[in-house]
């Protein structure tokens, strides 16, 4: 492998708060270590269509407290094809980019893995997704901010929910993972979380209804992870209407509210540590790994492991939710 002089940086897929802090950390650490940095706009789309600019240390000033990503992000169909990836490689060569840092979720890292299997390009990934669904890292960049946003929203819904015997079903994001729903439920004092990880084991809705509403309150709040497996909030509400018509049900879908906002301190620190670690990884000759956080320690996780779909949920939290919602 030729030595690395220039690093290309992109954000891809769903945006997440903290991506800007990661862009800042990668750019500044790289320049600190003597590399040149090129910012690639709109994820893989910008790599295919040649939207590449030089990044200096001052280009990433005053960005870390903003949500979204200054590099913009996109989904790119061309990169799913061999021709599109060849074009992306040609653009890299044109700009003399020797290595890539990709900030994104499961799809973006799958793309990185595919690209690295076809071309001799060292790639380091940073887990940038609110869903926390990447294997091999305790937390992803953006997850803590989204969790805090969910808590903030549920607190407000609870304020209006106090005087009727109502079942509030609140749908949160998660892309087939229950981290936001389960942790959001614990953090906001909700009665239950309906999550894909255990949907095939138990009928969580029946279990919740049969256990009765919380005795000390007249309304119940349930968080559900968006997923075809859980049925989402609409699917659950439909079931309640048919199977338990005695309950007055209200649905709130938090949607894109969860992606926005200024990142929390935790996300900014995680993004800063991971961004610096991405440059360390390249300096150490690592390639095709995602930076992970294991008990506050930086670890290198091969892409093939990071994109496994079965990151385990903390089952103790399910039990804690049950105990605390009597
Ligand atoms: P996220 O990174 O948030 O999970 P997506 O799943 O939308 O977002 O993936 C982002 C982009 O990564 C896709 O639009 C596509 O360009 C690329 N990508 C995803 N999977 C693959 C793959 N198997 N091969 C090549 N590129 C991929």
């Amino acid at each position: 492998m030729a030595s690395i002089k220039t690093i290309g940086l992109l954000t891809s897929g769903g945006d997440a708060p903290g991506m800007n802090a990661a862009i800042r950390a990668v750019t500044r650490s790289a320049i600190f270590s003597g590399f040149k940095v090129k910012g690639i706009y709109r994820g893989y789309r910008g790599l295919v269509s040649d939207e590449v600019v030089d990044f200096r240390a001052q280009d990433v000033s005053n960005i870390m407290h903003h949500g979204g990503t200054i590099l913009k992000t996109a989904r790119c169909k061309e990169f799913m094809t061999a021709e599109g990836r060849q074009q992306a490689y040609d653009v890299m060569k044109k700009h003399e980019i020797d290595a890539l840092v990709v900030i994104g979720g499961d799809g973006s890292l799958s793309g990185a893995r595919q690209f690295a299997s076809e071309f001799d390009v060292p790639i380091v990934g940073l887990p940038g997704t609110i869903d926390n669904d990447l294997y091999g890292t305790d937390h992803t960049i953006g997850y803590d901010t989204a969790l805090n946003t969910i808590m903030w929203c549920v607190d407000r819904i609870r304020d209006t929910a106090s005087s009727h015997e109502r079942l509030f079903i609140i749908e949160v994001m998660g892309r087939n993972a229950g981290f936001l729903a389960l942790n959001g439920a614990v953090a906001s004092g909700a009665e239950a979380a309906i999550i894909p990880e255990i949907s095939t084991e138990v009928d969580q809705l029946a279990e919740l209804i049969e256990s009765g509403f919380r005795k000390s309150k007249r309304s119940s709040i349930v968080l559900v992870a968006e997923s075809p497996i859980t049925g989402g909030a609409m699917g659950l509400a439909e079931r309640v209407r048919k199977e338990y018509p005695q309950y007055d049900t209200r649905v709130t879908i938090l949607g894109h509210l969860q992606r926005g906002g200024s990142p929390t301190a935790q996300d900014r620190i995680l993004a800063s540590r991971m961004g610096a670690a991405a440059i360390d990884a390249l300096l150490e000759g690592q390639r095709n790994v995602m930076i992970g956080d294991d008990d506050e320690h930086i670890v290198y996780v091969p892409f093939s492991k990071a994109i496994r779909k079965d990151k385990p949920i903390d089952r103790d939290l399910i039990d804690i939710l049950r105990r605390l919602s009597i």
Side-chain angles (χ1 to χ4, degrees), residues 234-254:
M234 289 307 199
L236 281 179
E238 193 54 38
R239 266 195 69 192
V240 175
R241 267 177 221 122
K242 280 196 191 128
E243 296 170 36
Y244 310 98
Q246 68 272 34
Y247 293 115
D248 188 13
T249 307
R250 293 288 182 277
V251 166
T252 304
I253 297 175
L254 296 185

Side-chain angles (χ1 to χ4, degrees), residues 1 4 122 280-287:
M1 181 183 61
I4 298 170
D280 291 341
L282 289 172
L283 284 166
E284 287 170 25
Q286 294 282 344
R287 47 177 28 215

